[in-house]
Amino acid sequence: MTRNTELHARRLAATPRGVGVMCDFFAQRAENASLWDVEGREYIDFAAGIAVLNTGHRHPRIEAAIAAQLKQFTHTAYQIVPYESVVTLAERLNALVPISGPVKTAFFTTGAEAVENAVKIARAHTGRAGVVTFGGGFHGRTLMALAMTGKVAPYKIGFGPFPADVFHVPFPSAIEGVSAADSLAALARLFKTDIEPQRVAAIVIEPVQGEGGFNVAPTELLQGLRALCDAHGIVFIADEVQSGFARTGRLFSMQHHGVEPDLITLAKSLAGGMPLSAVSGRAAIMDAPAPGGLGGTYAGNPLAVASAHAVLDVIADEQLCERAAALGARLVARLLGAKESNPAIADVRAQGSMVAIELRDPATGAHDAEAVKRVQARALAQGLLLLSCGMYGNVIRFLYPLTIPEALFDRALDVIDEALQA
Ligand SMILES: Cc1ncc(COP(=O)(O)O)c(C=O)c1O
């Protein structure tokens, strides 16, 4: 038995199957865009801990920031004894998020918690219950976030009933024949068939759907939602947990559209691998919950906050927004080249380095999740870790660290080319 197979067997015996695990090898160490397993095999990491490592594994500046904080204190519970680094991080995020006027930020631990708290804040502000989200959207695994998630298998099966007053409308998708106008029409219909807009607290949208397949929201939709929210006093929440922190070529995806949300949820690459999430938003809305209504024992953990400060420094100093745009353009060019000779590649879509391809059976047009698995297996055999996504599991997403060395990126592009041979 190898070390990996031994650990795999122990994992199956000791942990429940509900925590699905993609790889049958175990991590030993990692650096920037490379990861080594316990048997010493090297992988190029195009999963980046599911979009958490825009600044790579163990960036020296992030490591140093965490190490320095480790020598000061690791936990006081911010709600009991506060510390300056949280205030400073809030000030930095308030200045960076694409919301004008006075902004405040509250910290939490996971993306799902950020989403749940954004809904709590919107409800406290409006005194309303309704929440509108989108088909194919993913907002997390806690019960309210699950209710908002627009994908049944595998996330929602067996876990209902879900909190009430959550509604889904279709997300635009050119390949599925759904336009922004269709989505807005569905929303107008929802206001006739299910809930009056005066009872809706929030509309929550990912400007680029993550788990849903890297579908990019058209500007027209976001403008339409902004107008509806303004007309009816609804809180506009942008869930940028996956699209945030330079991934799309801007610090936040909403900046591509010139549309301001009222609240924005942040997590994943915010703290470069440390557990930290946040809700930033208009101060008047953020201040709606009464003292004690928000928080959490680990919310704003000092090590994670130190890491987030270093992440923001690295993104700025290494110009990672610009790099995301450049790397994404190179990958898209290669994928469009592959599409010429491989009719199974039905779509190539991207915003910056949030890049994906959709695979379909060329004969029938059916969503082809099996083809995705074959490409993933071929890439993995060459040492490249790729993730799938999409409502039908037939999308491959590319989530390399934005700090990836050029030569390693080139090697990965060659592996992708080879894995996509028809
Ligand atoms: C857009 C979005 N929102 C929320 C979440 C939930 O984040 P977490 O897994 O940290 O709870 C995710 C996770 O993939 C996400 O992509």
Side-chain angles (χ1 to χ4, degrees):
M1 213 184 245
T2 69
R3 182 99 176 97
N4 277 318
T5 54
E6 180 211 325
L7 288 172
H8 183 64
R10 281 174 50 203
R11 174 178 79 75
L12 293 179
T15 66
R17 62 180 191 155
V19 182
V21 174
M22 187 178 92
C23 297
D24 58 6
F25 56 87
F26 286 70
Q28 175 78 295
R29 72 185 174 92
E31 186 176 332
N32 200 352
S34 300
L35 187 149
W36 289 264
D37 75 6
V38 289
E39 293 172 19
R41 182 158 188 224
E42 182 178 352
Y43 296 88
I44 306 174
D45 187 0
F46 266 41
I50 325 182
V52 166
L53 300 164
N54 289 356
T55 47
H57 289 278
R58 293 175 47 243
H59 191 291
R61 291 176 69 183
I62 296 173
E63 221 176 47
I66 296 169
Q69 180 59 45
L70 199 52
K71 294 262 185 274
Q72 305 289 316
F73 56 93
T74 61
H75 182 79
T76 63
Y78 179 78
Q79 290 156 258
I80 304 302
V81 183
Y83 30 95
E84 183 177 355
S85 59
V86 165
V87 180
T88 317
L89 188 62
E91 289 166 349
R92 291 181 80 177
L93 289 172
N94 294 346
L96 289 170
V97 295
I99 301 172
S100 52
V103 172
K104 290 189 173 183
T105 293
F107 293 99
F108 306 97
T109 310
T110 65
E113 261 188 289
V115 168
E116 298 248 353
N117 280 284
V119 170
K120 282 164 58 181
I121 293 164
R123 283 183 167 173
H125 172 70
T126 58
R128 306 172 181 180
V131 176
V132 177
T133 63
F134 287 80
F138 183 84
H139 299 287
R141 285 183 162 87
T142 52
L143 273 172
M144 184 62 179
L146 259 191
M148 294 163 65
T149 288
K151 186 176 173 188
V152 172
Y155 307 120
K156 300 172 92 156
I157 292 175
F159 296 141
F162 298 105
D165 280 330
V166 176
F167 305 89
H168 293 94
V169 290
F171 194 93
S173 159
I175 192 169
E176 296 286 343
V178 181
S179 67
D182 293 334
S183 291
L184 291 168
L187 192 50
R189 223 168 12 250
L190 184 82
F191 290 159
K192 293 288 178 204
T193 59
D194 289 283
I195 185 168
E196 68 276 28
Q198 294 73 22
R199 229 168 51 73
V200 175
I203 297 177
V204 186
I205 187 167
E206 295 160 87
V208 185
Q209 284 194 324
E211 308 302 303
F214 281 21
N215 305 302
V216 181
T219 299
E220 182 193 342
L221 173 68
L222 298 171
Q223 286 172 339
L225 295 178
R226 182 67 268 174
L228 272 175
C229 288
D230 288 342
H232 300 295
I234 298 169
V235 176
F236 186 135
I237 302 176
D239 182 349
E240 293 238 28
V241 164
Q242 189 153 162
S243 57
F245 297 101
R247 171 60 52 186
T248 67
R250 306 291 295 268
L251 198 54
F252 302 105
S253 174
M254 290 299 286
Q255 292 171 305
H256 290 278
H257 304 281
V259 174
E260 288 192 14
D262 299 308
L263 303 179
I264 185 167
T265 54
L266 310 169
K268 290 195 186 271
S269 277
L270 163 61
M274 298 296 280
L276 184 71
S277 65
V279 180
S280 301
R282 297 192 196 288
I285 301 176
M286 291 296 295
D287 271 331
L294 304 177
T297 303
Y298 296 109
N301 170 270
L303 297 173
V305 169
S307 182
H309 276 290
V311 164
L312 293 179
D313 293 341
V314 168
I315 288 174
D317 293 351
E318 299 188 16
Q319 301 181 336
L320 292 188
C321 289
E322 291 77 1
R323 188 128 202 272
L327 293 175
R330 279 173 59 199
L331 175 56
V332 165
R334 287 289 277 268
L335 294 170
L336 288 173
K339 185 171 184 283
E340 303 264 294
S341 56
N342 185 349
I345 303 176
D347 197 19
V348 177
R349 43 182 184 259
Q351 190 175 69
S353 274
M354 209 160 170
V355 182
I357 51 170
E358 176 155 347
L359 300 185
R360 297 205 176 190
D361 184 323
T364 64
H367 305 101
D368 200 345
E370 289 310 309
V372 162
K373 287 186 190 136
R374 284 195 298 275
V375 172
Q376 279 182 299
R378 271 186 236 141
L380 195 62
Q382 300 300 315
L384 176 66
L385 198 54
L386 294 179
L387 289 185
S388 64
C389 63
M391 185 88 99
Y392 306 94
N394 67 322
V395 178
I396 297 175
R397 54 179 155 170
F398 303 93
L399 280 171
Y400 41 85
L402 303 174
T403 49
I404 186 170
E406 287 290 320
L408 202 60
F409 191 66
D410 286 338
R411 201 159 96 209
L413 291 185
D414 291 341
V415 173
I416 291 165
D417 256 349
E418 229 173 273
L420 285 174
Q421 299 291 323

